[in-house]
Amino acid sequence: MKKEFTFSYRHLKSIDELTDDQKKVFAAAEKACKKAYAPYSKFKVGAALLLNDDTLVLGSNQENKAYPAGLCAERVALFSYGAQHNTQGIKILAITSNGSMLKNDQFFSPCGGCRQVMAEYASMQEAPYEILIKNEDGSFLIFESIYNLLPFTFGTK
């Protein structure tokens, strides 16, 4: 039996098309990106969570000589949220990058490990949250939930 999976996302051409909340969390992700430690890959990533009470939680990628001891920006932000016992819930996760790893016409996308962690936090709060990703060309991808990026999460029935 053949089955298909389809998903949808919005592709916005510029920051001017973002809502106020999206602009706020994206600005925080840009700030986090500047604090990334990426001396090996030279690819900095920043992530920010906008919580339901308008709190911002930041994360940036942190590399280490003892690869793979580093951690991606998305997981730094989400684990920080979890470590602080936040219970107000995540509204938006914004992700941005800086580096020459991607070409201008390529989309930026979280790794599989980060996608699984995103799914875990959506499951824990029993509600999806929006994912906002800035591409190298200045455009944005907006996903209504992690399940549009990772349809078959680990442990899915």
Side-chain angles (χ1 to χ4, degrees), residues 63-85:
E63 295 180 351
N64 190 278
K65 286 180 186 176
Y67 182 82
L71 203 56
C72 299
E74 300 92 319
R75 283 183 271 176
V76 170
L78 288 162
F79 292 160
S80 179
Y81 166 82
Q84 295 173 37
H85 302 288

Side-chain angles (χ1 to χ4, degrees), residues 72-139:
C72 299
E74 300 92 319
R75 283 183 271 176
V76 170
L78 288 162
F79 292 160
S80 179
Y81 166 82
Q84 295 173 37
H85 302 288
N86 285 306
T87 58
Q88 54 274 41
I90 302 165
K91 189 185 323 186
I92 303 172
L93 165 61
I95 311 162
T96 189
S97 65
N98 183 298
S100 61
M101 193 175 281
L102 295 176
K103 294 178 181 154
N104 230 14
D105 62 344
Q106 292 179 313
F107 288 158
F108 173 59
S109 182
C111 74
C114 286
R115 293 177 193 212
Q116 181 63 43
V117 171
M118 290 178 205
E120 187 93 9
Y121 278 85
S123 177
M124 287 178 356
Q125 75 178 25
E126 298 179 349
Y129 52 86
E130 187 176 79
I131 299 167
L132 171 66
I133 302 171
K134 182 184 177 216
N135 297 306
E136 289 297 310
D137 66 359
S139 69

Side-chain angles (χ1 to χ4, degrees), residues 5-13 17-18 22 105-110 115 129-135 137 139-150:
F5 170 76
T6 60
F7 68 96
S8 63
Y9 63 93
R10 292 182 293 158
H11 187 196
L12 305 181
K13 295 296 181 187
E17 297 179 64
L18 300 179
Q22 290 168 335
D105 62 344
Q106 292 179 313
F107 288 158
F108 173 59
S109 182
R115 293 177 193 212
Y129 52 86
E130 187 176 79
I131 299 167
L132 171 66
I133 302 171
K134 182 184 177 216
N135 297 306
D137 66 359
S139 69
F140 293 85
L141 300 177
I142 302 173
F143 298 87
E144 292 179 3
S145 97
I146 185 56
Y147 303 108
N148 288 329
L149 283 168
L150 184 67

Side-chain angles (χ1 to χ4, degrees), residues 48-66:
L49 304 173
L50 178 64
L51 307 184
N52 288 324
D53 69 354
D54 288 330
T55 298
L56 290 165
V57 179
L58 309 184
S60 60
N61 61 319
Q62 301 295 312
E63 295 180 351
N64 190 278
K65 286 180 186 176

